[in-house]
Amino acid sequence: MALHSSSKVILFRGSSSDEDSGAKDKYTELLQNDHESVESIPVLEHRYLLTPENTDQIVHARPGYSALIFTSKNAVKALAQAASQWIEQTSCETNDGDKAAREEAWTRFLQLPVFVVGKATASACRSLLYSSDRSADIRGQDTGKATAMLPQILEFCRDE
């Protein structure tokens, strides 16, 4: 498409805090190739609902879980943020009274297999949940969508 001097577009999107830090804005970059002006207007933002208290309950229910399933990078970010707060907290009623015990419980929790939708979600898991000294059993990164991942989950559950 040829660039027109009066060609302007408005890009309605999530807030800038929802974007990956440091990543180039692909939409704006592509649109600027064909339009004189691209105005980006944030129209929504994510608010994580998972709390340190929820995380405590989830981590301690671990023996009842067979796997973790993440359908987005934001789901991974929410768990990582809540888990970090849970591990660092000092004043909340939790099953584990000290930081070392919470870190140990978190490490055990992360030994579960993880199913993800796509490479970006897998990458978020590796960078936000697993340190270099923790191995990750991440599956489904080549699926790209939940319906493609579902057969892998069902097969895993049958084998459990």
Side-chain angles (χ1 to χ4, degrees):
M1 182 177 344
L3 178 63
H4 300 288
S5 61
S6 62
S7 177
K8 297 179 181 185
V9 295
I10 299 174
L11 177 59
F12 296 96
R13 60 180 325 127
S15 70
S16 60
S17 64
D18 290 340
E19 304 299 319
D20 292 336
S21 60
K24 282 194 171 188
D25 181 350
K26 293 177 187 175
Y27 288 110
T28 301
E29 189 176 302
L30 290 171
L31 288 167
Q32 285 176 335
N33 290 333
D34 295 322
H35 302 281
E36 173 193 351
S37 172
V38 177
E39 186 172 351
S40 194
I41 298 178
V43 296
L44 61 91
E45 64 185 3
H46 294 280
R47 182 174 62 106
Y48 300 133
L49 302 176
L50 198 56
T51 66
E53 292 78 13
N54 299 136
T55 304
D56 182 68
Q57 294 167 359
I58 292 165
V59 168
H60 287 91
R62 186 225 182 274
Y65 297 129
S66 298
L68 308 176
I69 302 171
F70 293 101
T71 59
S72 72
K73 292 186 300 185
N74 283 321
V76 175
K77 290 176 186 177
L79 179 60
Q81 178 181 320
S84 176
Q85 292 170 350
W86 171 68
I87 289 169
E88 295 298 326
Q89 69 188 346
T90 57
S91 63
C92 185
E93 293 282 327
T94 65
N95 289 325
D96 289 320
D98 65 22
K99 181 178 176 180
R102 288 189 297 275
E103 286 174 336
E104 184 178 323
W106 178 244
T107 298
R108 283 191 313 270
F109 180 75
L110 290 178
Q111 292 172 352
L112 290 167
V114 177
F115 289 90
V116 298
V117 177
K119 293 180 188 326
T121 307
S123 178
C125 279
R126 282 188 196 91
S127 66
L128 297 173
L129 298 178
Y130 295 91
S131 62
S132 59
D133 62 334
R134 284 190 195 130
S135 63
D137 180 4
I138 298 176
R139 307 168 186 203
Q141 58 194 11
D142 295 323
T143 58
K145 57 184 179 177
T147 54
M149 182 178 61
L150 187 57
Q152 290 183 23
I153 296 171
L154 293 175
E155 181 179 337
F156 172 80
C157 291
R158 279 191 295 272
D159 293 343
E160 259 312 278

